[in-house]
Amino acid sequence: MNDIAKIRQFNRTVTHHIGALENEFLGRERSLGASRLLFEIGAGAEVRVLRERLGLDSGYVSRLLRTLEHQGLVQLGSLKEDARVRFVSLTPKGVKEVALLDKLSDRGAAAMLEPLSEKQRASLVESMATVERLLRASSINLATSDPGSRLAQQCLTHYYEELSERFEMAFDPSVSISAAPEELRPPQGYFVLALLQGEAVGCGALKCHTDFGEIKRMWVAASCRGMGIGRRILAQLEFLARERGLALLRLETNKALLEAQALYKSFGYQEVAPFSEEPYAHHWFEKEL
Amino acid sequence: MNDIAKIRQFNRTVTHHIGALENEFLGRERSLGASRLLFEIGAGAEVRVLRERLGLDSGYVSRLLRTLEHQGLVQLGSLKEDARVRFVSLTPKGVKEVALLDKLSDRGAAAMLEPLSEKQRASLVESMATVERLLRASSINLATSDPGSRLAQQCLTHYYEELSERFEMAFDPSVSISAAPEELRPPQGYFVLALLQGEAVGCGALKCHTDFGEIKRMWVAASCRGMGIGRRILAQLEFLARERGLALLRLETNKALLEAQALYKSFGYQEVAPFSEEPYAHHWFEKEL
DNA sequence: TCATTTATCTGACTATAGTCAGATAAATTT
DNA sequence: AAATTTATCTGACTATAGTCAGATAAATGA
């Protein structure tokens, strides 16, 4: 059996088993769709985020939420900052209901393990984790995005937060060499987002100068590291740079960002003498295209 | 994250991804249910088998099949041996359609691999195979069955066929020490079946004598070996023997059946001098309960 | 200010995926 | 031969899971 056939076999078996479990343990009173939505609300969420995450029609979500509201499980309100955006949160009754669903769902998962031996269980859980990570990785796609878009801004916020955490001092983008939205928008530059089911989980930017390009804002969400996303983003930025006819790429990085340095080295970047006054940089790299 | 949480995370991710793929690549013209049914027919099948395999309502299958018939994809007939049983097979047009679905499904599976690196692909396929095997194993359940039932007879037929293949000579149950249905039915004995989604994938029997029990007809389908099914069947037979108050279990086996011997030894059976005239046996085992 | 965009809601549909209670006919048991 | 069982079919439902075309109101941009 070749790989493709194995994957298809996997798909058949797994959907069958999980579907059976879900029907048995959830989907009792409420429809499966409503249960999933209830789960996804968690500590409260914007409706537009839920919609995107579950990939559902706006009208459909609206109706599902109203049903849940009538059952007294959720309450709907609007954001103060933007009254168009609806925000759902669980009522105390809803919290109790989610806890119950959680327990049932736990029982369903436990039923998968129950007939197996200790060794089989460990092997199952480990392989599941691998499959899950890789499926997530395979569903991530890259998109060139406007650096001012909501998703891009979210990414950059996370990026700055993380730099502040990992650097010895707080990170202040205004002190750092600039990479403002207008510099990362064609034709001055490019901003690449990595999207996982509508959520931004990584980014990277290329700032084009006349005779070289600068790689900026490389970031991957902690939950998605080790999936090769950084590699994909960097490859895409290099592709864009080549397309622009740039012959040289430069970047600078902080000593705390070891994974980033490993990535650059594996892509053939050579460490060079400092070529900028970037206050947060300890290492400077170059690569000829 | 504990094992249960990991399993739930897996379930969420995987159903989401596979569902998306199926919708994209199949379910185009035809409903997903009809596509699955079409797939399952393969080289032709009894309707009752399809129904059980897919876990569908009789009326529902009937209607789905009629739709496929109207589309000229399948033809329905009855078995000669039993005119109640309907038999579906694909028309030439149906064969072509299945081939097309196959291709689309292949493309869907390939789309999962496509964004991954070589290493990731190998790891994904391997882990998928493990998960699949173990999920199948975990959904197998044991049932005490009548040795004359259709499923039991199917098992025994496979068992005899396999013995004939693996022994140096053909296996003829009438020459072997008897284990006829009436001897394996309570109170004289027990017949245990391992069921995987309504299909029998293993069996084992206990023949009770006044002062000892005999383990007979231990068999596991080739497709399901290494899942611990033999262990589970043997454990169940030992449980039944203990419940009957039997203090000793005996069994004999052929030298070609190495896995079986390993199983018995791992359960604490000791090889003893021949205690029977079984012509197909080379090894005799005993265990005190 | 006016046009456009965004987020949501509503009403009117449709398709899918069933369920359930008989009816029917062949096979099997008594 | 009559009663029961088995495999299927049919008609009449129901629930789920959407889709799609506007309508509405807030926010944003020109």
Side-chain angles (χ1 to χ4, degrees):
Chain A
M1 193 148 65
N2 65 10
D3 285 358
I4 300 284
K6 277 185 197 157
I7 290 179
R8 288 182 53 188
Q9 184 64 43
F10 171 86
N11 290 358
R12 264 198 296 276
T13 307
V14 166
T15 43
H16 191 278
H17 286 253
I18 299 178
L21 266 189
E22 288 206 325
N23 280 326
E24 187 175 349
F25 287 94
L26 305 175
R28 279 256 178 250
E29 317 259 297
R30 200 158 298 105
S31 80
L32 215 59
S35 291
R36 269 199 274 265
L37 191 56
L38 206 53
F39 260 134
E40 209 64 47
I41 291 167
E46 293 177 16
V47 171
R48 61 179 174 188
V49 172
L50 290 177
R51 206 166 48 219
E52 198 145 0
R53 208 145 62 191
L54 295 167
L56 299 175
D57 177 85
S58 123
Y60 185 37
V61 169
S62 176
R63 243 177 292 271
L64 282 175
L65 284 175
R66 207 170 41 177
T67 312
L68 293 175
E69 196 182 17
H70 280 316
Q71 295 170 340
L73 299 172
V74 305
Q75 54 204 6
L76 283 154
S78 295
L79 288 189
K80 274 159 267 135
E81 316 90 83
D82 186 340
R84 291 169 305 178
V85 179
R86 300 276 269 161
F87 191 88
V88 225
S89 51
L90 296 171
T91 61
K93 190 176 163 192
V95 171
K96 249 170 86 177
E97 189 64 23
V98 168
L100 177 69
L101 284 177
D102 251 323
K103 221 164 79 183
L104 289 174
S105 199
D106 275 358
R107 210 170 294 168
M112 279 187 165
L113 289 180
E114 200 270 323
L116 300 178
S117 71
E118 239 356 282
K119 240 167 98 178
Q120 287 177 318
R121 289 180 195 190
S123 166
L124 178 63
V125 171
E126 193 198 317
S127 297
M128 278 181 163
T130 304
V131 169
E132 199 215 319
R133 268 173 46 76
L134 291 171
L135 281 190
R136 287 165 73 88
S138 98
S139 80
I140 287 167
N141 45 27
L142 301 189
T144 307
S145 147
D146 190 283
S149 72
R150 183 166 55 89
L151 288 172
Q153 287 302 314
Q154 276 177 11
C155 258
L156 290 174
T157 306
H158 286 132
Y159 173 65
Y160 298 149
E161 277 171 14
E162 185 172 340
L163 292 187
S164 289
E165 266 171 45
R166 296 181 64 176
F167 290 1
E168 282 146 3
M169 52 199 130
F171 176 75
D172 176 1
S174 67
V175 178
S176 174
I177 290 181
S178 74
E182 55 279 13
E183 295 177 291
L184 305 178
R185 192 177 280 140
Q188 293 92 331
Y190 301 93
F191 192 86
V192 170
L193 270 180
L195 295 167
L196 172 57
Q197 277 152 74
E199 210 186 334
V201 294
C203 63
L206 174 67
K207 189 174 155 186
C208 300
H209 300 266
T210 28
D211 44 0
F212 68 96
E214 237 183 311
I215 302 287
K216 286 280 185 190
R217 307 296 186 241
M218 285 289 295
W219 174 76
V220 173
S223 62
C224 293
R225 291 198 187 139
M227 290 180 174
I229 300 174
R231 265 196 300 282
R232 287 174 64 191
I233 294 173
L234 188 52
Q236 177 65 15
L237 293 175
E238 290 190 350
F239 172 79
L240 290 167
R242 276 199 195 86
E243 225 182 25
R244 276 285 289 253
L246 294 172
L248 181 71
L249 283 177
R250 282 182 166 174
L251 60 90
E252 62 245 319
T253 188
N254 186 284
K255 64 182 175 190
L257 305 176
L258 290 168
E259 331 81 293
Q261 286 166 48
L263 173 66
Y264 300 137
K265 282 176 192 158
S266 81
F267 264 65
Y269 286 76
Q270 306 282 339
E271 185 152 8
V272 293
F275 52 71
S276 74
E277 300 285 314
E278 170 65 50
Y280 295 106
H282 300 102
H283 300 279
W284 286 257
F285 287 90
E286 273 187 11
K287 176 180 180 177
E288 284 178 37
L289 291 179
Chain B
M1 193 148 63
N2 65 12
D3 286 357
I4 301 282
K6 278 185 198 157
I7 290 179
R8 287 182 53 188
Q9 183 64 42
F10 171 86
N11 290 357
R12 263 198 297 276
T13 306
V14 166
T15 43
H16 191 278
H17 287 253
I18 299 178
L21 265 190
E22 288 206 326
N23 281 326
E24 188 175 347
F25 287 94
L26 304 175
R28 279 256 177 253
E29 317 258 299
R30 201 157 299 104
S31 79
L32 216 60
S35 291
R36 268 199 276 265
L37 191 56
L38 207 53
F39 260 135
E40 209 65 47
I41 291 168
E46 293 178 15
V47 170
R48 61 179 174 189
V49 171
L50 289 177
R51 207 165 47 221
E52 196 144 2
R53 208 145 63 191
L54 296 168
L56 299 174
D57 178 83
S58 123
Y60 185 38
V61 170
S62 176
R63 242 176 293 270
L64 282 175
L65 284 176
R66 207 171 39 178
T67 311
L68 294 176
E69 197 182 15
H70 280 318
Q71 295 172 339
L73 300 172
V74 305
Q75 54 206 5
L76 284 153
S78 295
L79 288 189
K80 273 159 266 132
E81 316 89 85
D82 186 341
R84 292 168 305 177
V85 180
R86 300 276 268 161
F87 191 89
V88 225
S89 51
L90 296 171
T91 62
K93 189 176 165 193
V95 171
K96 246 171 88 177
E97 189 64 24
V98 168
L100 177 67
L101 284 177
D102 251 323
K103 220 164 82 182
L104 289 173
S105 198
D106 274 357
R107 210 170 295 168
M112 279 187 165
L113 288 180
E114 199 270 321
L116 299 178
S117 71
E118 240 355 283
K119 242 168 98 180
Q120 286 177 318
R121 289 180 194 190
S123 167
L124 178 63
V125 171
E126 193 197 318
S127 296
M128 277 182 163
T130 305
V131 169
E132 199 214 321
R133 268 173 45 76
L134 291 170
L135 281 190
R136 287 166 74 87
S138 98
S139 81
I140 286 167
N141 45 24
L142 301 189
T144 307
S145 145
D146 189 283
S149 71
R150 184 166 56 90
L151 288 172
Q153 287 302 314
Q154 275 177 11
C155 258
L156 290 174
T157 306
H158 285 132
Y159 172 65
Y160 298 148
E161 277 170 14
E162 185 172 340
L163 292 187
S164 291
E165 265 170 43
R166 296 181 63 176
F167 290 1
E168 282 144 3
M169 53 199 130
F171 176 75
D172 176 1
S174 66
V175 177
S176 174
I177 290 179
S178 74
E182 54 277 15
E183 295 177 292
L184 304 179
R185 190 177 280 142
Q188 292 93 330
Y190 301 92
F191 192 86
V192 170
L193 270 180
L195 296 167
L196 172 58
Q197 278 153 73
E199 209 187 333
V201 294
C203 63
L206 174 68
K207 188 173 156 188
C208 301
H209 300 266
T210 28
D211 44 0
F212 68 96
E214 237 182 310
I215 302 287
K216 286 280 189 191
R217 306 297 186 240
M218 286 287 296
W219 174 76
V220 174
S223 63
C224 294
R225 290 197 188 139
M227 290 180 175
I229 299 174
R231 267 196 298 282
R232 287 174 66 189
I233 294 173
L234 188 52
Q236 176 66 13
L237 293 174
E238 290 189 352
F239 171 81
L240 291 166
R242 276 199 195 86
E243 226 182 24
R244 278 285 288 250
L246 295 172
L248 181 73
L249 282 178
R250 284 182 163 173
L251 60 90
E252 62 245 321
T253 187
N254 185 282
K255 64 182 176 188
L257 305 176
L258 290 168
E259 332 81 292
Q261 287 165 49
L263 173 66
Y264 300 137
K265 281 174 191 158
S266 81
F267 263 65
Y269 286 76
Q270 307 284 338
E271 184 152 10
V272 294
F275 52 72
S276 74
E277 302 284 314
E278 170 64 50
Y280 296 106
H282 300 101
H283 300 280
W284 286 258
F285 287 91
E286 272 188 11
K287 176 180 180 177
E288 285 179 35
L289 290 180

